């Protein structure tokens, strides 16, 4: 059960439009305590009601430093889907806008949000803001930067996504079987559309700054393969097309991993020639994957080293997460 700690509720009457927003709206920001949260809240400003949902584990943590006007809830480290559900269920306004804790709404965002929502017909269940991802000037982007830049063209992501409360109620909100910040927003969008609501794109602009998530970030990202398994289970084989996505590299990762395992098995059994052939196939597939990531990038020594190492690790890790996801999806348990 979610434990609520209210720092200070917004002083506007519940359910009444705020003067600055026109439309009665609540901004919900789930967070794991990133320092970027302060910039997100400052950019929203004092207009709408803001609910921050602290999704850090309960034990051994300091209170989040949020402004007094912000309502603070706790969701106990159950993931962004559960945190967003806690946020919108605590709100009473007709619209709920979800922002990530690492984005910065642009100047005039509240007024632009008002304009985006003001004249939408009742069958429109959601409005997505435009997302700007600035790339570094003077050089080609790294693999991690290209992945982040892809968010600018993604549909219905909760970096800046407003939902009509009736649409959230009709679908039950976010599916908490999705454990991380991956695919839970696409799943909700498909279910909202299936419930008879339309989704549109607005004109408000939000900026998603780049951040350095470390050497192994691309390996950690492979956890999303478990969520892909759940998407397939819930929405069928054509779920990627339904969200405007494209096929990934999982089949190639499976082939690469298979060749590596075959080479090790044959070598252990004394079949050196066949082991060598399988090993060469593994090496060739791994080299192709690494070059596909290196070629469009800056090709600095640091980037080449990271791509070379992580390209060896990603295929088996991706396959392991997909298998885990398939098992979890079939048993109905949370990942």
């Amino acid at each position: 059960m979610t434990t609520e700690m209210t720092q200070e509720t917004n002083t506007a009457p519940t359910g009444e439009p705020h003067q600055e927003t026109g439309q009665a709206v609540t901004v919900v920001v789930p967070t794991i305590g990133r320092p970027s949260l302060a910039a997100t809240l400052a950019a929203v400003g004092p207009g709408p009601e803001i609910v921050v949902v602290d999704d850090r584990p309960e034990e051994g943590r300091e209170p989040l430093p949020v402004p007094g006007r912000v309502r603070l809830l706790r969701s106990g480290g159950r993931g962004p889907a559960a945190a967003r559900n806690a946020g919108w269920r605590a709100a009473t306004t007709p619209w709920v806008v979800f922002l990530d804790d690492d984005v910065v709404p642009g100047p005039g965002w509240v007024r632009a949000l008002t304009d985006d929502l003001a004249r939408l017909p009742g069958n429109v269940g959601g409005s997505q803001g435009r997302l700007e991802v600035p790339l570094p000037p003077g050089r080609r982007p790294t693999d991690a930067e290209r992945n982040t830049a892809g968010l600018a063209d993604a549909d219905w992501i909760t970096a800046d996504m407003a939902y009509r409360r009736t649409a959230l109620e009709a679908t039950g909100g976010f599916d908490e079987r999705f454990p991380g910040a991956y695919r839970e927003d696409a799943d909700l969008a498909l279910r909202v559309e299936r419930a008879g609501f339309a989704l549109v794109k607005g004109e408000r602009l939000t900026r998603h700054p780049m951040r350095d998530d470390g050497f192994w970030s691309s390996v950690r990202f492979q956890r999303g393969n478990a969520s892909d398994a759940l998407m397939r289970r819930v929405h069928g084989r054509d779920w990627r097309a339904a969200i405007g996505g494209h096929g990934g590299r999982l089949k190639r990762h499976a082939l690469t991993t298979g060749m590596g395992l075959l080479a090790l098995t044959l070598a252990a059994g004394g079949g050196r020639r066949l082991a060598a052939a399988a090993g060469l196939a593994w090496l060739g597939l791994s080299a192709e994957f690494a070059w596909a990531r290196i070629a469009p990038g800056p090709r600095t020594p640091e980037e080449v080293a990271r791509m070379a190492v992580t390209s060896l690790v990603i295929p088996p890790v991706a396959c392991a997460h997909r298998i885990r996801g398939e098992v979890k999806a079939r048993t109905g348990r949370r990942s």
Side-chain angles (χ1 to χ4, degrees):
M1 179 178 296
T2 301
T3 303
E4 176 178 339
M5 180 179 70
T6 303
Q7 299 280 21
E8 178 180 333
T9 57
N10 196 295
T11 56
T14 301
E16 293 296 322
H18 298 272
Q19 181 179 359
E20 294 85 348
T21 63
Q23 290 283 330
V25 63
T26 300
V27 177
V28 172
V29 185
T31 186
I32 54 174
R34 288 193 183 108
S36 54
L37 174 65
T40 302
L41 299 179
V44 173
E49 179 184 32
I50 302 175
V51 177
V52 168
V53 186
D54 182 354
D55 195 47
R56 297 175 299 170
E58 296 288 344
E59 60 275 2
R61 63 178 191 176
E62 297 294 326
L64 280 177
V66 298
R69 61 186 170 82
V70 173
R71 190 178 182 188
L72 186 62
L73 309 179
R74 294 173 178 170
S75 53
R78 294 184 293 123
R84 293 192 188 99
N85 282 341
W88 76 260
R89 287 169 182 159
T92 58
T93 50
W95 284 93
V96 178
V97 185
F98 298 101
L99 293 176
D100 287 345
D101 67 351
D102 57 352
V103 302
V104 182
W109 180 83
V110 172
R111 176 52 55 192
L113 172 65
T114 301
D115 294 340
D116 283 346
L117 303 182
R119 289 175 293 276
L120 292 180
N123 71 313
V124 174
S127 167
Q128 180 183 6
R130 292 182 295 133
L131 197 64
E132 176 185 73
V133 184
L135 291 173
R139 64 166 174 80
R140 292 187 290 186
T142 65
D143 178 71
E145 290 165 347
R146 293 193 304 275
N147 286 335
T148 302
L151 295 174
D153 299 319
D155 290 338
W156 324 130
I157 59 174
T158 46
D160 181 348
M161 186 72 195
Y163 275 108
R164 199 182 292 272
R165 183 178 182 84
T166 52
L168 294 170
E169 290 172 342
T171 57
F174 293 88
D175 188 337
E176 296 180 14
R177 289 177 297 173
F178 289 90
Y182 192 72
R183 302 300 190 202
E184 83 291 356
D185 44 12
D187 165 74
L188 176 59
L190 291 178
R191 289 187 289 110
V192 166
E193 290 180 322
R194 191 175 300 152
F197 293 93
L199 301 177
V200 300
K201 295 189 177 181
E203 294 300 319
R204 65 190 184 278
L205 182 65
T206 293
R207 187 170 181 264
H208 191 304
M210 292 290 181
R211 68 172 188 262
D212 184 1
D213 287 333
F215 188 94
W216 298 102
S217 60
S218 59
V219 177
R220 292 194 299 272
F221 185 72
Q222 302 310 310
R223 295 171 184 167
N225 283 281
S227 295
D228 285 352
L230 182 55
M231 287 291 286
R232 182 177 180 274
R233 186 76 174 176
V234 173
H235 300 287
R237 294 178 179 272
D238 297 330
W239 67 268
R240 288 186 185 273
I243 65 170
H246 54 81
R249 292 186 62 107
L250 186 63
K251 290 182 179 179
R252 291 190 186 184
H253 289 337
L255 179 60
T256 303
T257 303
M259 287 295 101
L261 291 174
L262 181 61
L264 292 174
T265 302
L266 290 171
R272 294 185 178 180
R273 288 188 178 181
L274 291 176
L280 286 174
W282 169 82
L283 183 61
L285 290 165
S286 299
E288 181 276 328
F289 178 43
W291 180 245
R293 302 170 71 206
I294 292 169
R299 305 186 195 178
T300 61
E302 296 80 8
E303 178 71 357
V304 171
R306 175 158 53 181
M307 294 300 96
V309 173
T310 58
S311 293
L312 298 179
V313 178
I314 284 174
V317 171
C319 293
H321 281 300
R322 183 55 183 260
I323 293 170
R324 175 176 62 86
E326 293 287 351
V327 172
K328 297 288 186 181
R330 289 178 182 276
T331 59
R333 293 181 292 136
R334 289 185 78 237
S335 296

